[in-house]
Amino acid sequence: MITSPAEYARLMRDVVALIAAEDTEPLVPELVTLGEMIGGIWGSPEGSRAVEALRTTSVPFRTALLRALLDRCDAPDTAPAARRALVVLLGNIANMTPATGGSPETRAALIALYSRQDSVYDTRQLVHLAERELADGRDLPGEFVAVLRRTRMLVWQKSSELDDLLQRIPAPVVNPGEAWADRALADLAGLGPDWRRLLAHAATATASRPSATWERTGRALIDALGADTVRERLLSWLPLVGRPRTFPLLVAFEGSTLNDTFDAFNATALRGLAWLLSFLPAHPGTARALGALAETTLRKVPGHGPVNPKAANAAVTALARIDAEPALAELARLAARVTYKGTLKLLDKALEDRARALGLSREEIEELAVPTYGLTEVGRAEHRLGETTARLEVRGTKAVLTWTNSAGKPVRTVPATVRRDHPDELKELKAAVKDIEKMLAAQSERLDRQFLARRTWPYAAWRERCLDHPLVGTLARRLLWTVDGTPVGYADGALRALDGTPVTDGREVELWHPVGREPAEIAAWRDRLEEHGITQPFKQAHREVYVLTDAERATGTYSNRFAAHILRQHQFHALAAVRGWRNKLRLYVDDEAPPATRELPEWGLRAEFWIQGEGSSETYDTDFTGSGSYLRLSTDQVRFYPIDAPENSAHVCGGPYRMWPRDGTAPADPLPLTGIPPLVLSEVLRDVDLFVGVTSVGNDPAWQDGGPAGRYREYWTSYGFGELSQSAETRRALLERLVPRLATADRCTVDGRFLQVRGDRHTYRIHLGSGNVLRTPNDQYVCIVPKADPAAPRAGHLPFEGDRMLAVILSKALLLANDTKITDPAILSQL
């Protein structure tokens, strides 16, 4: 790295001299160094000097330099910043190397460069390159045709020359460079022309749903090939969707999402493939593949959003067209997991249409749609495959497949006879394991939402759909319920009241909630769950209860309990969506935005969490993403309004929230907190506590220096070691019960806000809210970044799933209690 003006001047002299000498090999590393130093800004005085010097060189030299710089871009030891700088420089060299009149070598170098672009602004350069290659009798590489297609889809102005070229040239049916497309193209090479016509038809799926004409053509093509053959082939392609690009594109700026999103041309073909699957006879594998496609294409890409919502919508449209239980099950599962508004709207409509057709409610159709996946009793099934028995069991959040041989003895791996004689049954069993785990997560989230949904069940229907359902029963039997007002839980093979009395009948069932319950009852249920070793799928018996504080009674209509926190915006945005809140990302270019809101139609209420972007133009580089969205938010009040009240909004970077009545509606005052039903108040504040607890920069160990320019040092310290929130208080109460059972119990003590751990080197204090660690003798901060390690030591039975911070605290306690065995150099250096 250059460290002095003299070295910098030497670098510039060397670069200019090497360019003048047209000496490619030593020039490349010097250009790498220069590019890093100027931050890829080749329009700077130093960068311009190099670019202008290149302009006077010969075309053969620039051709050789293009090749050499492309190779350097692909070198694994090239730093990302240097690679981005080289990409910009490559664009400059290409612009001064016109395709017209160039040698075949020059054209080949330009084609190699342009093939690595998502699109190219200068369409004439692309057309000239293509025309000269075709005139010389050379075929255009598939990757170059791909950039022609993408350019055609993205350029602002239509190019008749480009249109004409694309109509004339031979082209792959889909663009190479993505794993699924590469597999499809490889398969087509050995298949007949009907397969090419089928995939080409899929690539014309530009509408939001298949037209009658499109469907007729698609069905005719399927009939020519055979439905089973088409299904088998398409289901071998779709699992490859979303894998890393096989032909990475060059990116010129940090934060680019080009290699994380889909080829625009191929995304259209994916929509068509999804529709074609809906024309086939119903099959579990089809529904499974479409559900996976929807999830994959809705995966969030930072700075971009969902990968490709149009492909996800096509998958949902296809599922909605399939009249079979597996497709309905996938719709119900996706409805519990998807947060993207457009796709969720399609899912809601599909489920509501199906419910209406069957004369059921939306809630009933979601419950009836949950398949058993071959389970013959709650949480288990046995399948006989020859002389081998496969046992499928649900254990918590996992589905486990175990094997016993003909003698009844367990075997660790799938027997060879099963692989040889029963490959299809084995494939279905393995698929069932994955499906069960996905559905368990979705059903757990659905049940957790029933508190605010005010869901009740007739007793007989509840037993069938929940308690005794082979899959849902594995969750329902770990939860607490009320039958005609009597709290019950499942234990020792029966539904029992707190005193152990079996409950075998009733009229109405609902989920038990700790709001309004006596402390003695809550403690008794916790003891009962612990006695039976039950881990609840989410916090219920240990659920936090938020009651009004004196400060909230004084403010009357708003809560400041969670004000003045600094949150990571994108993490908050994703978590809010999962919890059913509607939020808009704050962007620097926006004017106003509404607060984060959660509508509660069953209660006629709307909850609002007031937030604003944290940052300014003076700190743009550290407070915003490359696309201009705030990295962080600051928090303010929580309020409640009637659900039909006009929406509030405020400037994204601060200022008061104001209500803007429209269409003749009258402004509405916020509702008094004393009038909010206690369960609603508690659940809404619990959500907000979760947002703060998970997304606050205060629990990020890397922020010990206070973040950008140290601006948040005081906040980080006060949050990271300050008073406990309600969720942290719940964690403290639980740790008081758990610590005596730990293997390191003699070294651990709950002390106020901290779990104190006595190691051999030092004594440590782990904050129960943030998980941050201090060590003796002077409360020195110890930075330990938690890692998701399945092999990490466990702290034994936990009474509920989902509290990651509790797991982090326990893992740190086990680590620090044996601090002489720590081998991580980053931690050892702090001890």
Side-chain angles (χ1 to χ4, degrees), residues 233-553:
R233 186 70 61 181
L234 266 54
L235 295 192
S236 72
W237 297 346
L238 291 183
L240 303 177
V241 173
R243 292 193 180 181
R245 283 188 61 91
T246 57
F247 188 74
L249 301 176
L250 296 173
V251 296
F253 59 91
E254 188 175 5
S256 169
T257 61
L258 286 180
N259 289 307
D260 299 314
T261 53
F262 291 170
D263 183 295
F265 184 85
N266 288 354
T268 301
L270 281 177
R271 296 166 73 184
L273 294 181
W275 294 348
L276 290 171
L277 283 173
S278 72
F279 304 159
L280 303 174
H283 187 277
T286 299
R288 187 181 299 130
L290 289 170
L293 177 64
E295 285 189 299
T296 299
T297 51
L298 288 178
R299 176 177 53 84
K300 296 287 182 64
V301 175
H304 174 81
V307 176
N308 195 282
K310 290 183 178 180
N313 293 348
V316 171
T317 297
L319 284 168
R321 293 169 57 97
I322 301 174
D323 187 12
E325 287 187 5
L328 181 58
E330 282 298 314
L331 289 171
R333 183 182 68 82
L334 290 170
R337 303 284 287 172
V338 166
T339 59
Y340 183 72
K341 186 186 298 183
T343 306
L344 188 57
K345 185 177 179 180
L346 282 180
L347 286 165
D348 288 341
K349 184 179 185 305
L351 288 170
E352 287 165 4
D353 288 347
R354 193 69 60 89
R356 193 178 305 111
L358 297 174
L360 301 170
S361 69
R362 162 69 183 273
E363 292 79 10
E364 289 175 309
I365 200 70
E366 285 193 19
E367 291 164 1
L368 292 171
V370 182
T372 63
Y373 297 110
L375 300 172
T376 53
E377 55 184 292
V378 176
R380 70 189 308 271
E382 287 190 354
H383 300 270
R384 190 77 177 173
L385 304 179
E387 296 184 350
T388 302
T389 299
R391 181 174 290 110
L392 180 59
E393 292 181 292
V394 177
R395 300 175 187 173
T397 61
K398 298 294 182 182
V400 180
L401 194 60
T402 57
W403 303 88
T404 55
N405 60 21
S406 57
K409 294 183 178 180
V411 292
R412 291 186 177 183
T413 59
V414 181
T417 55
V418 172
R419 296 182 186 274
R420 183 187 67 235
D421 301 334
H422 304 276
D424 292 338
E425 293 95 326
L426 177 60
K427 182 179 178 181
E428 279 302 310
L429 281 172
K430 290 183 175 181
V433 167
K434 295 180 181 179
D435 290 345
I436 285 171
E437 292 180 356
K438 288 181 180 180
M439 185 60 83
L440 281 172
Q443 292 303 309
S444 178
E445 291 177 10
R446 182 182 67 82
L447 288 169
D448 194 15
R449 291 200 293 264
Q450 301 311 304
F451 294 117
L452 284 175
R454 307 183 84 170
R455 180 79 168 105
T456 61
W457 293 262
Y459 181 83
W462 170 75
R463 289 217 58 135
E464 177 187 357
R465 301 173 194 170
C466 298
L467 196 70
D468 297 330
H469 187 280
L471 181 68
V472 182
T474 65
L475 303 170
R477 293 185 177 190
R478 294 188 282 142
L479 294 170
L480 303 177
W481 306 83
T482 63
V483 177
D484 298 334
T486 300
V488 296
Y490 192 86
D492 299 326
L495 196 65
R496 301 178 185 276
L498 189 54
D499 62 4
T501 304
V503 176
T504 58
D505 201 1
R507 294 183 304 277
E508 186 176 80
V509 182
E510 63 182 335
L511 273 168
W512 178 94
H513 194 286
V515 161
R517 302 287 175 179
E518 293 295 327
E521 178 190 337
I522 297 172
W525 278 118
R526 291 178 179 179
D527 290 340
R528 174 66 60 83
L529 294 169
E530 187 178 310
E531 175 188 342
H532 290 278
I534 294 174
T535 297
Q536 295 197 291
F538 50 81
K539 280 187 185 180
Q540 188 189 26
H542 292 79
R543 204 173 188 88
E544 300 84 3
V545 173
Y546 298 77
V547 297
L548 283 177
T549 63
D550 290 340
E552 288 162 344
R553 289 191 180 89

Side-chain angles (χ1 to χ4, degrees), residues 35 46-47 59 156 162 165 213 224 264 284 329 375 383 399 432 616 653 701 729 760 791 812 814 827:
E46 298 81 4
V59 172
W156 291 105
L162 185 55
L165 175 66
T213 302
L375 300 172
H383 300 270
S616 66
C653 63
E729 287 285 359
D760 292 318
K812 288 183 178 181
L814 294 174
I827 300 175

Side-chain angles (χ1 to χ4, degrees), residues 112 228-229 255 689 814:
D228 291 342
T229 303
D689 193 357
L814 294 174

